[in-house]
Amino acid sequence: MTGLERTLNALVASRSSDYGIAVLDLRNGSAASVKGDIAYPMASTVKLAIAGAYLTDVDHGRRSLSDMIAGRSAATLMELMIVRSDNHAADLLLARVGGPAAVQQWLSSNGISGIRIDRNIAQLLRERGHLFDSKDVATPNAMVSLLYKLNSGTLLTVESRSLLFNLMSRCVTGTRRIRALLPAGTRVEDKTGTLDGVTNDVGFINMPDGRRLAVAVFAKGGRDRQVGIAQVARVIYDHFADLGRNALTYFMELK
């Protein structure tokens, strides 16, 4: 994966924004990163942790997706939070599970470090200085660790994983980020995050050979961050597509 890291470093070095990138091949565990252990503002990518904490309660019978919260079902709020990144829906679900401290405890109890949750979304938006914030941050490697565990079955049941990934596949706020430059028909399940000067996208890219990639791209400062994220995702896609083609060629030669 050092070749991929060199290509990604060269790409982001030519851009004005500060990028943190992590990618994990869920098939064989190979990984690459750029500033993978540097903390970046999460913005709304934190909503994946909120969803995970709530769905864990559902799986253990402590809550239900049919529970009514402020006049709407938890299922409706979950859809709004993930598909449309609705901040009010996120804060309602966050409050129901016990607030930021409860989600932080959920992360810690599941062995996920490098993610810090301090405020609800309304509090986060009221404050300024997000580019230099030490609160509500995550490293790219930590976010990929969360994605890995959400996918692995160690955190959620099959039903809850299926629900969450289906919602992520319908994300309408990320069409110009990870998805933008990938080949038509590529399945992506993602969650975006946006603040003043901050543009993020994290999730899964599904490759033609069945390989599944967990990807986190955080960008802050500079210009054209959405274009940068799209280019990063395409570099990652092309790297693994080449691996798949090379493996197929090798297999055919063996035959």
Side-chain angles (χ1 to χ4, degrees), residues 103-232:
V103 180
Q104 188 74 67
Q105 176 58 36
W106 176 80
L107 290 167
S108 298
S109 66
N110 287 292
I112 302 168
S113 60
I115 296 177
R116 174 172 170 170
I117 302 175
D118 299 275
R119 298 163 290 192
N120 66 22
I121 305 297
Q123 292 167 333
L124 173 63
L125 294 176
R126 282 198 297 268
E127 299 184 16
R128 293 292 182 262
H130 297 132
L131 284 177
F132 309 101
D133 215 338
S134 61
K135 298 178 181 178
D136 298 291
V137 295
T139 69
N141 285 336
M143 185 58 70
V144 162
S145 176
L146 172 59
L147 291 169
Y148 165 75
K149 292 198 172 185
L150 287 171
N151 185 77
S152 68
T154 60
L155 299 186
L156 301 176
T157 62
V158 171
E159 293 77 14
S160 287
R161 291 202 314 275
S162 177
L163 169 70
L164 178 58
F165 296 158
N166 177 264
L167 294 177
M168 292 170 68
S169 75
R170 294 163 49 204
C171 175
V172 299
T173 56
T175 56
R176 297 175 61 192
R177 301 184 192 183
I178 286 176
R179 302 165 184 264
L181 298 179
L182 299 184
T186 301
R187 181 177 173 86
V188 174
E189 300 132 7
D190 66 326
K191 180 69 200 77
T192 59
T194 308
L195 290 168
D196 290 341
V198 174
T199 305
N200 303 330
D201 202 3
V202 308
F204 303 98
I205 300 174
N206 296 278
M207 301 298 296
D209 65 354
R211 197 184 306 257
R212 187 162 163 84
L213 310 175
V215 177
V217 189
F218 296 142
K220 63 179 183 177
R223 301 173 55 194
D224 300 325
R225 293 181 299 275
Q226 292 196 112
V227 173
I229 291 173
Q231 291 174 339
V232 165

